[in-house]
Amino acid sequence: MPINRTGLDALMEITARPEQIFVRGHGSWLEDHTGKRYLDFVQGWAVNSLGHGAPEIIAALERQAHLLIHPSAAFYNQPSIDLALRLVQASCFDRIFFANSGAEANEGAIKLARKWGQKHRDGAYKIITFEHAFHGRTLATMSASGKEGWDRKFPPQVEGFPKARLNDLDSVRALIDAQTVAVMLEPVQGEGGVIPATAAFMQGLRVLTREHGLLLIVDEVQTGMGRTGRLFAYQHADIEPDIMTLGKGIGGGVPLAALCARESVSCFEHGDQGGTYNGNPLMTAVGVAVFDALTAPGFLDDVNARAQQLSTGLLSLCEKWGLPGERGQGLLRVLELDGDHGPALVEAARERSPEGLLLNSPRSGLLRFMPALNVTAEEVDTLLIWLDRLIGQVCTR
């Protein structure tokens, strides 16, 4: 397919992109402008929960586009009502605010917690977050994140986000003071290297926050919507948070996110929160289609089966090549390497021939896997066979 590459300089330079220009996708496979195919285990950073070109999403877009695309967020529309009801019925939350990105949902969660602090905790505003956390790229969500060096990128930071250590309850307890309003965490720190919060830690946080009258916020932008083998990752710990954010997989590839809150916390007044496209019927119609696919009988059973297959296969590679191990939850996993081979493996996988493989290295000593939730057993086997050869080529030089 002929591609005009002269327009590349019209795009703002924000990251080092490889030369491939992707033109189409189907399921777990992408195709670039030369016709080369790639097995995609990145899927837009865990966004494409049903893979590329999902028929459910295409049908929802076509059907809704013929009905109503955008009436304004100042009016009700049926798809947003339908999706909100599904989320409420499937979770411990009572109210939903739809947004366009995970960062926007997290920004809303921060605002809601601070509004609740104004009403119920004498203006308390501090939200305890965690080292190595990632909550987004707005000024507030960057400040809430614990990513190294982000406190120096766009100073001054938004104040009020002291950092605790994941799975260390005492480090959280030590930061609580009269100005604390909430604790916010990812059930699995994705960008931080796929580090799960233990069930005991999540349960301890729930007890601790209730003892001190604080809110518990779970950022499920990456872990929500089936990614960990449950519809929401907090369900693994058998707890009920006060606020949850969703993004990425909820739209299956379209810009959609959600701020979910319990009734007792939903204290926004008119004018406090909003957005031009929030609850857009075209996007929420897709969200309904994705939700129904993920909650269909047997779907999450298959996710867990593929997760076990992937985990077992990665452990076999560890044993063969003397690698430290693998970890994760559901279909969000990492392989620990025996050196800083991650970037080289990502490049070698992408450039392999005749078909490429798309992987991600969040840290130089890690490979991260975020396949479509409907990835097949054969595709997982293919990944493992190719990865075995790549490790032999790259890591044993």
Side-chain angles (χ1 to χ4, degrees):
M1 175 181 292
I3 294 287
N4 180 6
R5 301 180 65 87
T6 59
L8 296 185
D9 288 343
L11 293 171
M12 188 173 290
E13 188 73 14
I14 60 165
T15 189
R17 294 184 175 100
E19 65 177 11
Q20 288 86 353
I21 299 175
F22 290 111
V23 296
R24 62 175 59 88
H26 179 74
S28 291
W29 294 84
L30 275 174
E31 183 180 324
D32 72 13
H33 63 290
T34 70
K36 181 179 174 180
R37 298 173 73 237
Y38 301 77
L39 180 59
D40 186 1
F41 266 66
V42 177
Q43 289 289 346
W45 283 277
V47 166
N48 305 320
S49 44
L50 301 178
H52 298 285
E56 302 94 329
I57 292 177
I58 294 171
L61 284 169
E62 183 175 10
R63 183 171 57 250
Q64 187 60 40
H66 284 289
L67 293 173
L68 179 66
I69 293 177
H70 185 66
S72 163
F75 303 109
Y76 290 118
N77 70 77
Q78 194 62 51
S80 67
I81 296 170
D82 294 341
L83 182 55
L85 185 60
R86 281 164 166 79
L87 292 171
V88 164
Q89 291 175 338
S91 71
C92 64
F93 303 101
D94 306 297
R95 298 280 186 170
I96 311 295
F97 170 80
F98 290 114
N100 308 297
S101 69
E104 188 183 354
N106 282 336
E107 189 95 6
I110 292 166
K111 289 169 62 178
L112 184 60
R114 289 188 170 186
K115 182 74 174 187
W116 185 87
Q118 292 169 13
K119 285 178 166 285
H120 301 288
R121 282 188 62 84
D122 297 322
Y125 67 96
K126 292 181 183 177
I127 299 175
I128 297 171
T129 57
F130 291 84
E131 296 172 358
H132 309 299
F134 183 90
H135 296 296
R137 296 179 181 274
T138 66
L139 287 176
T141 55
M142 285 183 72
S143 298
S145 299
K147 189 169 180 176
E148 186 177 356
W150 274 28
D151 56 339
R152 300 185 297 273
K153 273 190 176 292
F154 306 105
Q157 282 194 294
V158 177
E159 198 266 331
F161 297 101
K163 303 296 186 294
R165 292 180 297 278
L166 192 69
N167 294 322
D168 183 346
L169 201 60
D170 287 337
S171 74
V172 179
R173 186 179 289 109
L175 293 174
I176 296 173
D177 62 24
Q179 294 302 307
T180 306
V181 70
V183 178
M184 180 177 184
L185 81 160
E186 304 156 276
V188 181
Q189 289 186 339
E191 289 293 314
V194 187
I195 304 170
T198 66
F201 180 69
M202 295 285 285
Q203 292 163 3
L205 273 184
R206 182 67 285 190
V207 171
L208 181 64
T209 50
R210 282 184 171 150
E211 284 178 353
H212 289 269
L214 308 178
L215 303 180
L216 180 60
I217 306 169
V218 288
D219 172 352
E220 297 228 23
V221 169
Q222 188 163 127
T223 59
M225 304 308 295
R227 176 57 55 182
T228 67
R230 298 287 298 270
L231 193 58
F232 310 115
Y234 78 80
Q235 294 170 330
H236 288 286
D238 194 27
I239 63 168
E240 293 189 346
D242 300 295
I243 297 173
M244 175 176 71
T245 56
L246 299 170
K248 295 186 183 292
I250 189 176
V254 305
L256 181 64
L259 165 60
C260 313
R262 305 187 71 167
E263 183 68 36
S264 59
V265 183
S266 301
C267 58
F268 278 145
E269 300 175 34
H270 291 187
D272 284 346
Q273 185 68 337
T276 301
Y277 300 103
N278 300 98
N280 176 289
L282 190 63
M283 301 300 100
T284 50
V286 172
V288 169
V290 170
F291 183 99
D292 289 349
L294 300 185
T295 56
F299 187 95
L300 290 179
D301 292 335
D302 289 342
V303 170
N304 285 301
R306 297 289 73 74
Q308 185 59 57
Q309 178 189 0
L310 178 58
S311 176
T312 300
L314 293 175
L315 286 172
S316 294
L317 292 180
C318 291
E319 183 175 356
K320 176 177 179 178
W321 295 106
L323 303 179
E326 72 90 38
R327 63 174 178 264
Q329 203 166 40
L331 286 174
L332 177 59
R333 315 202 72 82
V334 293
L335 176 66
E336 297 179 76
L337 306 172
D338 60 351
D340 295 333
H341 303 298
L345 277 168
V346 167
E347 182 177 3
R350 189 178 63 246
E351 298 305 320
R352 77 177 300 278
S353 185
E355 294 172 316
L357 172 63
L358 300 181
L359 301 174
N360 169 249
S361 178
R363 296 288 184 274
S364 60
L366 301 173
L367 284 181
R368 179 167 50 168
F369 307 90
M370 302 167 283
L373 298 184
N374 54 3
V375 64
T376 67
E378 292 76 17
E379 288 163 344
V380 173
D381 281 341
T382 298
L383 161 82
L384 293 168
I385 291 168
W386 290 0
L387 186 56
D388 181 23
R389 295 170 184 165
L390 288 163
I391 291 170
Q393 293 166 11
V394 174
C395 301
T396 59
R397 291 174 182 170

